[in-house]
Each structure stands twice: as C-alpha cells, then as structure tokens.
C-alpha cells in the first residue's frame, strides 16, 4: 500500500539555538527562491499526485517564511500531496515569527494544526536556551491559532541550564493554563558539535543532575495526566482525540513520503535521507540529480526489531498477535531474552499478550532500545 503521509523539511531559521543540530540554515533568506524551486522539482519526480491523510511541515522554522513564499510552498505541496477529507496538516512555528498574516495564509491553505516551538513560558529560561521569543509571543501565537480554528501543540523543554524543579513546575502550570490540544516535552540534549556541548566541554555550561532531570520528567507525567492529558508516547501528551496523527505513522512503522534538505522518507521498504546541507541539496536538485545522501533496506528480521522498538515507545506497548501479523515474526523469537530481563528489572511489563514500558522503564527507555534492536 502506498504511503498516506508526507513530511516537508523547511530549513530556514533566523538564528541557530545553542542546543540545535538539525538540518537548518540561519540568516540565508537569499536561498528561499531556490528552495521553493527545488521542492517543486523534487515533488514532481513523484510522477503523479499522491493523496495523503497527514502532512507535516517541519524544520527549521516553516513560519520563518514570509506570507508569500509560505503560500507558494503550501500550494506546491498541496498539488502533489492533496490532503484527504478529514486529513491532518501540521506546520511547525516559532512564536516570534508567527504573524497574523502568516496564520491567515496557513488557514486558507487548509492547515489544521500548529506545532508551536515555545520550549518555555519563562523569559529567563528562554534566554538561557537562546530562544528569540518571550512569553508574550507565545500567548499571542496561541490567540492567532485559536482565532483561525487550528489545533495547537506546544513543545516544552526541561533541564535547561540552571533550571530548578520549582521553575519547571511553574512552566508546566503555565502551559496547562494555556489549554493546548497537545504537549510534547523533552529534556535538553547535548548534541555533538552543538554550541551548548562545546560550552559544556569547556566548563562554561553544566548539565543538570540526572536525578533532577528524571524528577522533572516524572513531574510532567503526573501534572499533565492530572490536567487531563493522555500520555500516549514517551514524550507526548494529548487531549482525548488530539494525538499527533502524523507522528503516530512513524511509531506504527508505516511508510511516508518526504522532500527537502535532510528529509527522511520510507517508501517501498527503503529508508532514504536527503543531504543535510541545504546548498548541496539545492545544487543537486537544480542539476536534476537525486538529493539522496544515504539509504538502507532492512531485512525482515531487522524490520521486526525496529517495529518492536517503535511500538514500545507508545504507552499502549506492543500486542504480540498484532506484531506477528504485521512483522511476520514472534516478539519472543526476536527479543524474548531481553524482554524477560527488562521485566525482571521492572522496566517492562508483560501480561502474556502485551509488552509495554513501566513507569520506571519510561525514565530509562533510550537505554533499552540497543538491546531490542
């Protein structure tokens, strides 16, 4: 069955935050025209329009584009990936760049959901994270989105340099008060080569204690749950019926289209990723060459292991019977020993039909995946 989802990568940002290692370009608006041409060309290689149920514009900062280019991008993508009736179209946005005219364009295009990169509602914490917006920008963005009838997901980061548990509690309370449809919450990660990591290695920044970071995550689970949000994936919480349908495609191990620099797709059993450099991507597409930088095709057993890990990221876990039908492999045949070990350690629960993370397992989930892959 052909993929029913598509991801479009928009690499433009005003500024690269200190923790960022995404495929972006900062202050290169001179490349926007060439980018729009390249996206149109890459999508035309599909040969014919491919209808999708979910569409996702990520970045970078899609809302960094001015209203005109934003409309052009949306119309181009919609031509090649028309959205099915009742479909979900998400666009990532940063609060400082989400102007009223941009929101109007998105609404006219048919965008149904904004993913707002707020990260915090505390101005001091935002400065520590090197963000370009403040609390007021977040509140204004929410108003624009609501007026346009869009669902809103808010990204929230914890374990920022110097953050305390009390500050994190206040941040959680402030976001709950905004009453978004969805919240994604992540601990600050120290990526190789990112400016924050360089500063850490020089002793200029200090990561929070692991135990404090763990307590912060637990606080998010408890407080968002108490506020009526369903914890449905390791980092994601939603109002009933407001999960990210696009991201659920990834966690279900289903296939999806993608276009743009650094964009990764999964089509016909092959996973391929475009070149991360925006300028290299633009040159290749302009020359009529494939922008793909790397690709892999997993064998059936490797694919089953991947499906298991993706499934365990979801709080509902993995149903043995469904997994066998989808993957052609039995859970216990490919990972029985590791599962038994993690059950004994209290990190997984197993009732014979379903395997899933325990609360304790949620705190260390990234450490489990290598033994299950």
């Amino acid at each position: 069955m052909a993929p029913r989802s598509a991801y479009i990568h928009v690499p433009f940002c005003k500024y690269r935050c200190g923790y960022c290692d995404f495929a972006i370009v900062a202050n290169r608006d001179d490349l926007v025209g060439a980018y729009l041409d390249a996206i149109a060309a890459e999508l035309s290689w599909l040969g014919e329009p491919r209808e999708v149920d979910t569409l996702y514009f990520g970045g970078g900062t899609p809302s960094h584009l001015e209203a005109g280019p934003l409309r052009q991008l949306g119309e181009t993508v919609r031509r090649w990936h028309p959205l099915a009736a009742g479909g979900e179209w998400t666009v990532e946005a940063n609060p400082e760049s989400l102007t009223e005219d941009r929101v109007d364009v998105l609404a006219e295009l048919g965008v149904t959901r904004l993913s707002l990169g707020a990260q915090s509602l505390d101005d001091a914490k935002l400065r520590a994270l090197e963000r370009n917006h403040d609390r007021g920008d977040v509140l204004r963005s929410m108003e624009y989105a609501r007026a346009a009838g869009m669902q809103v997901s808010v990204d929230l980061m914890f374990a920022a340099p110097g953050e305390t548990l009390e500050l994190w509690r206040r941040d959680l309370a402030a976001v709950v008060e905004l009453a978004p449809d969805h919240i994604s919450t992540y601990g600050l990660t120290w990526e190789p080569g990112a400016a924050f990591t360089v500063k850490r290695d020089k002793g200029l920044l200090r990561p929070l204690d692991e135990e404090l970071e763990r307590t912060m995550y637990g606080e998010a689970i408890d407080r968002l749950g108490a506020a009526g949000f369903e914890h449905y994936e390791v980092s994601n919480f939603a109002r009933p019926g407001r999960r990210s349908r696009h991201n659920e495609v990834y966690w279900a191990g289903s296939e999806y289209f993608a276009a743009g620099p650094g964009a990764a797709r999964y089509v016909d059993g092959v996973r391929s990723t475009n070149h991360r450099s925006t300028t290299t991507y633009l040159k290749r597409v302009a020359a009529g060459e494939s922008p793909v930088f790397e690709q892999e095709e997993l064998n059936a057993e490797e694919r089953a292991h991947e499906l298991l890990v993706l499934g365990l990221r979801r709080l509902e876990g993995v149903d043995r019977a469904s997994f066998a039908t989808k993957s052609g492999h039995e859970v216990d045949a490919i990972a029985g020993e590791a599962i038994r070990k993690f059950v004994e350690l209290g990190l997984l629960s197993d009732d014979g039909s379903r395997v899933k993370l325990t609360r304790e397992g949620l705190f260390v989930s990234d450490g489990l995946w290598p033994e299950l892959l």
Side-chain angles (χ1 to χ4, degrees):
M1 184 175 144
R4 298 288 302 176
S5 296
Y7 172 81
I8 306 297
H9 190 75
V10 184
F12 302 100
C13 282
K14 185 176 180 63
Y15 169 83
R16 182 185 284 274
C17 299
Y19 54 82
C20 174
D21 77 333
F22 293 135
I24 73 155
V25 283
N27 274 323
R28 288 303 310 267
D29 291 8
D30 55 301
L31 298 176
V32 169
Y35 165 79
L36 293 171
D37 290 344
I39 288 289
E42 187 182 6
L43 289 174
S44 74
W45 297 340
L46 289 168
E48 61 184 8
R50 307 296 183 95
E51 185 184 69
V52 293
D53 299 314
T54 72
L55 192 52
Y56 196 106
F57 285 14
T61 312
S63 62
H64 178 74
L65 296 179
E66 298 281 353
L70 192 57
R71 182 185 301 277
Q72 185 179 335
L73 175 64
E75 289 175 347
T76 297
V77 174
R78 196 171 58 181
R79 178 187 164 200
W80 290 102
H81 288 305
L83 194 64
E88 175 193 88
W89 185 350
T90 303
V91 173
E92 291 183 352
N94 275 351
E96 77 277 6
S97 62
L98 197 66
T99 55
E100 198 166 6
D101 61 337
R102 288 176 170 99
V103 174
D104 289 345
V105 165
L106 295 175
E108 288 165 20
L109 286 166
V111 172
T112 63
R113 186 175 181 274
L114 275 179
S115 180
L116 197 61
Q119 312 311 345
S120 176
L121 275 91
D122 180 273
D123 287 347
K125 179 175 167 182
L126 288 167
R127 287 192 294 273
L129 289 171
E130 299 185 353
R131 301 294 292 176
N132 276 337
H133 65 271
D134 59 24
R135 179 191 178 96
D137 292 326
V138 177
L139 301 180
R140 179 179 46 77
S141 298
M142 290 287 292
E143 286 175 15
Y144 288 156
R146 289 242 169 76
M150 294 179 192
Q151 291 183 34
V152 183
S153 176
V154 173
D155 283 355
L156 203 58
M157 189 177 288
F158 59 90
E163 187 172 17
T164 64
L165 182 58
E166 184 50 42
L167 285 172
W168 174 236
R169 285 175 174 150
R170 272 191 264 164
D171 231 355
L172 284 169
V175 169
V176 166
E177 196 175 323
L178 285 181
D181 301 278
H182 187 283
I183 296 173
S184 297
T185 181
Y186 306 91
L188 172 67
T189 53
W190 301 80
E191 302 292 349
F196 274 16
T197 308
V198 173
K199 287 182 180 179
R200 178 200 65 187
D201 294 345
K202 290 179 178 175
L204 302 174
L205 278 180
R206 196 166 72 185
L208 262 58
D209 175 75
E210 274 186 32
E211 196 56 40
L212 174 57
E213 191 166 342
R214 174 194 167 107
T215 302
M216 287 177 166
Y217 177 47
E219 197 76 13
I221 293 171
D222 293 339
R223 294 198 170 218
L224 296 180
F229 287 87
E230 172 200 18
H231 188 193
Y232 72 103
E233 191 271 347
V234 172
S235 303
N236 288 274
F237 303 78
R239 296 275 182 205
R242 297 298 172 95
R243 294 181 179 190
S244 168
R245 289 166 54 192
H246 184 84
N247 286 339
E248 286 206 298
V249 168
Y250 299 150
W251 300 321
S254 300
E255 298 194 342
Y256 47 91
F257 296 109
R265 67 191 59 73
Y266 180 42
V267 181
D268 293 334
V270 178
R271 200 177 295 284
S272 59
T273 307
N274 287 351
H275 207 290
R276 283 175 57 91
S277 161
T278 298
T279 50
T280 301
Y281 165 83
L282 295 176
K283 284 174 189 167
R284 288 191 178 182
V285 176
E289 299 170 3
S290 168
V292 171
F293 174 66
E294 59 184 358
Q295 65 180 41
E296 64 172 347
E297 186 168 4
L298 301 181
N299 64 38
E301 186 171 336
E302 289 169 333
R303 175 80 183 124
H305 280 278
E306 182 182 77
L307 280 171
L308 178 62
V309 167
L310 289 169
L312 285 173
R313 287 193 63 87
R314 296 182 292 178
L315 272 286
E316 65 198 38
V318 173
D319 175 77
R320 279 187 165 80
S322 305
F323 182 84
T325 301
K326 182 162 187 173
S327 72
H329 286 75
E330 299 289 339
V331 166
D332 297 290
I334 64 167
E337 193 176 326
I339 287 171
R340 284 189 291 278
K341 170 186 166 182
F342 293 136
V343 168
E344 284 176 17
L345 291 171
L347 305 177
L348 291 176
S349 69
D350 181 359
D351 65 4
S353 63
R354 185 178 293 274
V355 181
K356 56 186 180 181
L357 288 168
T358 61
R359 181 184 173 98
E360 197 63 29
L362 282 166
F363 292 115
V364 294
S365 59
D366 283 348
L368 310 190
W369 310 145
E371 287 194 51
L372 294 168
L373 280 171

